[in-house]
Structures are given as C-alpha cells and as structure tokens.
Amino acid sequence: MMSLVTHNKEEATMEFEKVVKSRHSVRNFTDQAVSKQTICEIIEIAQQSPSWFNSQPWKVYVAMDKLLENIKTECSKNNRAKKPAEPDFPVMDRNEWNVRTKANMEKWRHDIVHHLSDFDDTQNEAGLSLYNAPVILYLTIPKNSSLWSVFDAGSFGQTIMLTAKDMGLDTLPNYNSVRFPKIVRHQLGIPDSETLVVGISLGYAKDATPNTHSTGRATLDDVLKFNN
Ligand SMILES: Cc1cc2nc3c(=O)[nH]c(=O)nc-3n(C[C@H](O)[C@H](O)[C@H](O)COP(=O)(O)O)c2cc1C
C-alpha cells in the first residue's frame, strides 16, 4: 500500500499514476477471500470522496459468503429463465446512444471480441455467475435524491476502486450485479427507500482471460477542449 508519508512530489505523482493506470476491470477472480478489515479500510478511505454540500448520499451493502452465494444462485436462475432485467436505473438501448459514445462502445466491443472470441458481456458464463468474485460491494443512494447524488456515488465508487487497487485488490463495477434488484434487496436488507446504483465486484484477479485484455481510450483531442 502506498505510504502516506511521501518525501518527493515526483515520486508521489508516479505512484498515483501507476495506481490509476493499473486499475482495470477484472472479470475472473481467484477464490482468495477478502477480510472485513480490508473492506472497512477501503470504504473509510473512499468516504473522503467529495459530494454535493457534503451530503454523502452513498451507502455500501456488502455481499459475501452465504448471502453472496444466495444472490448468485437467484440471479443465475433468472438469467437462465431469460427473465427481463429490472434495474433501478433504466438501461438505454445501444442504438439510442449519442454518436460519439456509441462509437466508443462499439470500439470496446470490437476490441474485446477480437481479443476473446467467445466474449459476450451480457450472457457469458462469467457474467451470469457474477465473475466468481468473493465480494460484491453494492452502492445505494436515497431514492429521494438529486441527479447530483449519482455523480457523488460515481466519485465514491471510483475512489473505492483506486483504493482497492492501491491495496493490491481488483474490481469490476458491473451492471450485471444489479439486473435483479429485488433479489439483492431481499438478501442484503436494502430498504425500498434506497436506489441500487451499482455493484462493485472485489477480490484478487486470476492471471487468466478475460483479465489479460486492456481497454483503450479516446484521443485527448476528442475529450479536452481549449478555446484559446
Ligand atoms: C456503471 C458501469 C457498469 C458496468 N457494467 C459492466 C457489466 O455488467 N459487465 C462487464 O463486463 N463490465 C461492466 N463494466 C465495465 C466496463 O466495461 C469497463 O469499465 C470499460 O470497458 C473500461 O474498461 P476498464 O474498466 O478495464 O478500464 C461497467 C462499468 C461501469 C462504470
């Protein structure tokens, strides 16, 4: 884990850049357990994330051991029965996205399918069994929230993922884990007054496919605009 005492600004920046660049989505985890102590450390650091008026709208429900097994079994049953997903946030059809974001998504699919010929992000075995992760951190915000709280939950989620990486763990933020919120709510005791935002799978990466794939990014010109 990165030392909190840094002696040299350049060294600190490089360490940070290394953490940011080495975080990537992991879709195949080892059986190694994650301790409650580790989870507490990650979440306590992530609580430093900024939020609208310091509202801190997020909550984290931890699925592990028997409860996670129950979630996986129940979700898998629904998946196999081809039950339509009912996520708390609506999913927009790929074809309805804006031209630029749609092109990025198509490129991602093209690259990953080229790398892994049997990859299917919605129906592959790994996805259906929730990637064999030993832990899923489910993030919620109050149902009675402003859109700003989604932004806040996103920054909280990213800090969770970077902190986990810094501590030698890997993550996958995934929609697949929130396709059937009723199951997750029931197993984890999440009240109806909270919206299930996303699940972040947490654990240790297997040195195997599909983890060997690394995604690209759009050019800086496409993202960054200076007007003078
Ligand atoms: C909100 C959200 C939901 C996602 N859902 C899934 C998912 O259900 N299945 C999956 O394989 N990847 C999922 N991803 C991971 C993205 O595909 C991934 O972040 C993106 O391709 C960039 O790759 P990287 O995380 O390796 O940098 C999700 C990412 C986010 C932020």
Side-chain angles (χ1 to χ4, degrees):
M1 191 177 164
M2 189 169 83
S3 160
L4 290 177
V5 184
T6 46
H7 303 285
N8 166 327
K9 193 166 177 250
E10 200 176 313
E11 189 183 304
T13 307
M14 279 319 293
E15 287 236 13
F16 178 70
E17 190 177 328
K18 203 171 141 202
V19 172
V20 172
K21 289 194 169 165
S22 59
R23 185 227 47 92
H24 67 106
S25 289
V26 158
R27 299 179 176 87
N28 192 356
F29 291 86
T30 68
D31 293 335
Q32 188 178 340
V34 180
S35 71
K36 282 190 177 169
Q37 168 72 20
T38 300
I39 295 170
C40 291
E41 281 175 31
I42 293 170
I43 300 305
E44 195 164 20
I45 292 174
Q47 281 185 278
Q48 292 304 318
S49 307
S51 59
W52 180 277
F53 254 76
N54 205 20
S55 52
Q56 305 167 68
W58 48 71
K59 272 197 186 178
V60 185
Y61 291 83
V62 182
M64 60 200 298
D65 304 324
K66 183 74 185 123
L67 292 182
L68 179 55
E69 274 316 305
N70 293 346
I71 290 172
K72 285 181 183 173
T73 309
E74 293 294 307
C75 289
S76 186
K77 260 191 230 159
N78 280 359
N79 281 323
R80 281 174 215 293
K82 302 225 179 301
K83 240 188 124 184
E86 305 169 317
D88 284 0
F89 287 160
V91 172
M92 196 160 86
D93 187 278
R94 277 180 201 173
N95 295 316
E96 290 172 13
W97 286 65
N98 149 286
V99 174
R100 193 175 143 260
T101 45
K102 194 173 151 191
N104 285 338
M105 292 193 289
E106 279 166 4
K107 177 158 180 15
W108 174 76
R109 267 200 70 75
H110 172 271
D111 289 352
I112 199 161
V113 169
H114 182 72
H115 183 77
L116 307 160
S117 52
D118 61 347
F119 186 84
D120 176 341
D121 51 323
T122 53
Q123 290 302 320
N124 64 345
E125 253 332 287
L128 295 183
S129 57
L130 299 181
Y131 314 94
N132 194 39
V135 174
I136 301 181
L137 303 172
Y138 281 99
L139 308 193
T140 73
I141 55 173
K143 213 153 241 171
N144 185 17
S145 279
S146 139
L147 261 185
W148 294 104
S149 298
V150 180
F151 178 92
D152 299 342
S155 86
F156 179 62
Q158 171 71 343
T159 312
I160 289 175
M161 293 187 279
L162 292 181
T163 305
K165 188 72 233 178
D166 191 39
M167 291 170 68
L169 287 93
D170 293 285
T171 53
L172 173 69
N174 66 98
Y175 156 71
N176 262 335
S177 63
V178 292
R179 294 177 76 222
F180 303 109
K182 275 188 202 146
I183 294 172
V184 179
R185 283 177 192 289
H186 174 70
Q187 291 296 332
L188 302 181
I190 301 174
D192 284 341
S193 55
E194 291 174 29
T195 298
L196 197 49
V197 177
V198 79
I200 299 180
S201 302
L202 175 72
Y204 298 89
K206 254 193 194 160
D207 189 12
T209 54
N211 299 338
T212 49
H213 176 72
S214 67
T215 50
R217 292 293 186 267
T219 61
L220 192 59
D221 280 358
D222 187 44
V223 172
L224 180 63
K225 305 294 171 194
F226 288 106
N227 286 311
N228 49 21

